[in-house]
């Protein structure tokens, strides 16, 4: 079986409960290596009234800390970042076959002085590659041209050159045979009445298809109709120009089962498609594990 490095995410959130409750299922799919100190897992198990499976394999970080349920802290941010770095290093060195990440808290990373906005941002810097964030499931995948940037920065980021390269990298990473590219303005600009930025999208689609040698991408597609049942029957692989344009409809449709996949990198990295859920962390209300299980399955299959 493949060996998967699991980054445990923010220890004050739901990540450790998901890990503990899913371990037996995950262990039937792969050999998981949890990048966490065993003492932290023991503390989480005690807080959750769960038993700690004897066969759990951990990779010690040797960072003194403790769990503070539901709290955003610098120490939990530093710990989750160290866990992620360890998982990436193990996989980059060939000791594990892929990385699967549980949810971090971006504010906790900021409090810890970590200069990255999230997992993908770090991977982009670490590998010096234009990592692509794609989220979804077999029924719908959405790739993001821009990710965690303010909305006011989206339009200045949209150039034909940048989008063309993004589309080419996306195609080479996925080999999807048809992908819709959303417009950025309402009604995809209505032929310039509501904005003319779609001209960059049109040019990028033309250039990407020309270089690929066949018509893979089409658009610009009107954003507010792209996720209707009829449209998704026609094409369920979509390029969104900015974060919420693509992820709001995706999560409305497939929140529980969707995952996050990092593309255009020398390693495989998948992740849950949800946050730390501090509101239910350590509350004994139960957590949903489907996204995590799907992320592991995707890592094993790639």
């Amino acid at each position: 079986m493949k060996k998967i490095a699991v980054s445990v995410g923010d220890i004050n959130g739901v990540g450790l409960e998901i890990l503990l409750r899913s371990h037996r299922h995950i262990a039937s799919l792969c050999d998981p290596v949890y990048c966490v100190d065993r003492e932290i897992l023991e503390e989480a198990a005690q807080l959750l009234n769960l038993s700690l499976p004897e066969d759990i394999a951990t990779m010690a970080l040797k960072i003194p800390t403790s769990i503070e349920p539901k709290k955003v802290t610098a120490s939990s941010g530093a710990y989750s970042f160290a866990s992620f770095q360890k998982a990436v290093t193990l996989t980059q060195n060939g000791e594990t076959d892929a990385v699967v990440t549980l949810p971090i808290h971006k504010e906790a990373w900021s409090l810890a002085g970590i200069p990255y906005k999230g997992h993908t941002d770090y991977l982009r810097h670490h590998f010096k590659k234009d990592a692509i964030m794609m989220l979804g499931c077999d029924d719908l995948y959405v790739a993001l041209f821009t990710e965690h940037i303010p909305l006011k920065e989206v339009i200045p980021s949209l150039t034909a050159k940048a989008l063309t390269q993004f589309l080419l990298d996306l195609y080479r990473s996925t080999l999807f045979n048809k992908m819709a590219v959303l417009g950025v303005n309402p009604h995809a600009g209505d032929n310039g009445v509501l904005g003319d930025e779609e001209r960059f999208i049109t040019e990028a689609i033309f250039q990407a298809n020309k270089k690929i040698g066949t018509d893979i991408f089409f658009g610009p597609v009107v954003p507010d109709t792209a996720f209707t049942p009829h449209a998704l029957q026609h094409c369920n692989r979509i390029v969104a120009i900015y974060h919420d344009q693509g992820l709001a409809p995706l999560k409305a449709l497939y929140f529980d089962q969707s995952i996050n996949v990092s593309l255009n990198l020398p390693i495989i990295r998948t992740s849950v498609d949800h946050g730390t859920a501090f509101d239910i962390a350590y509350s004994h209300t139960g957590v949903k594990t489907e996204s995590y299980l799907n992320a592991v399955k995707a890592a094993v299959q790639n």
Side-chain angles (χ1 to χ4, degrees):
M1 289 196 296
K2 288 189 176 180
K3 188 174 285 188
I4 304 296
V6 179
S7 169
V8 299
D10 196 297
I11 60 175
N12 297 340
V14 295
L16 294 182
E17 182 174 358
I18 291 172
L19 183 160
L20 291 168
R21 292 191 184 279
S22 304
H23 171 68
R24 298 212 180 281
H25 191 166
I26 297 302
S28 71
L29 303 172
C30 64
D31 289 327
V33 178
Y34 302 109
C35 298
V36 62
D37 294 284
R38 193 172 185 87
E39 295 79 8
I40 293 294
L41 282 185
E42 290 171 346
E43 183 181 0
Q46 185 175 12
L47 287 169
L48 293 163
N49 294 325
L50 297 173
S51 59
L52 183 64
E54 294 181 1
D55 65 337
I56 274 188
T58 60
M59 181 63 66
L61 304 180
K62 299 180 181 178
I63 299 175
T65 191
S66 61
I67 297 170
E68 298 181 67
K70 306 176 183 294
K71 293 185 179 180
V72 180
T73 65
S75 61
S76 69
Y79 197 89
S80 65
F81 182 62
S83 176
F84 180 48
Q85 282 187 307
K86 176 66 75 173
V88 170
T89 298
L90 289 173
T91 306
Q92 188 175 7
N93 292 344
E95 297 174 65
T96 51
D97 298 296
V99 176
V100 173
T101 56
L102 284 160
I104 62 162
H105 198 289
K106 292 179 177 59
E107 184 183 356
W109 273 27
S110 179
L111 290 173
I114 296 162
Y116 308 107
K117 297 176 182 178
H119 291 120
T120 309
D121 194 32
Y122 171 76
L123 291 169
R124 188 174 287 121
H125 177 269
H126 179 76
F127 289 108
K128 307 238 176 343
K129 295 277 288 182
D130 289 328
I132 293 173
M133 182 184 292
M134 184 177 76
L135 300 97
C137 57
D138 287 343
D139 291 326
L140 172 62
Y141 273 110
V142 177
L144 301 180
F145 172 63
T146 63
E147 305 150 10
H148 299 128
I149 66 172
L151 192 56
K152 65 183 178 182
E153 295 178 14
V154 170
I155 294 301
S157 301
L158 180 58
T159 66
K161 181 179 179 180
L163 183 56
T164 298
Q165 189 60 55
F166 175 89
L167 297 178
L168 290 171
D169 290 340
L170 177 61
Y171 172 69
R172 290 164 185 157
S173 298
T174 62
L175 297 180
F176 292 153
N177 60 16
K178 181 190 292 185
M179 286 181 264
V181 184
L182 301 184
V184 70
N185 292 300
H187 305 290
D190 259 349
N191 295 319
V193 175
L194 301 177
D196 65 353
E197 286 79 14
E198 277 69 25
R199 71 185 189 277
F200 302 124
I201 299 172
T202 299
E203 178 63 20
I205 291 171
F206 173 79
Q207 293 296 339
N209 286 339
K210 181 179 179 181
K211 290 186 179 182
I212 294 168
T214 188
D215 289 340
I216 298 297
F217 298 98
F218 68 95
V221 175
V222 175
D224 65 1
T225 61
F227 297 91
T228 63
H230 176 75
L232 292 179
Q233 285 181 355
H234 176 61
C235 182
N236 60 0
R237 303 293 187 256
I238 293 174
V239 175
I241 302 301
Y242 59 92
H243 186 279
D244 288 8
Q245 181 190 48
L247 298 195
L250 170 67
K251 293 186 178 185
L253 292 168
Y254 299 108
F255 181 68
D256 289 338
Q257 62 263 54
S258 64
I259 65 171
N260 184 339
V261 182
S262 295
L263 303 173
N264 202 38
L265 292 173
I267 66 167
I268 295 167
R269 178 258 171 170
T270 65
S271 180
V272 296
D273 182 22
H274 60 74
T276 51
F278 283 163
D279 57 327
I280 61 171
Y282 300 97
S283 298
H284 308 284
T285 56
V287 294
K288 294 182 177 179
T289 62
E290 187 176 3
S291 180
Y292 176 51
L293 295 173
N294 287 343
V296 172
K297 290 175 183 176
V300 170
Q301 291 166 2
N302 283 289

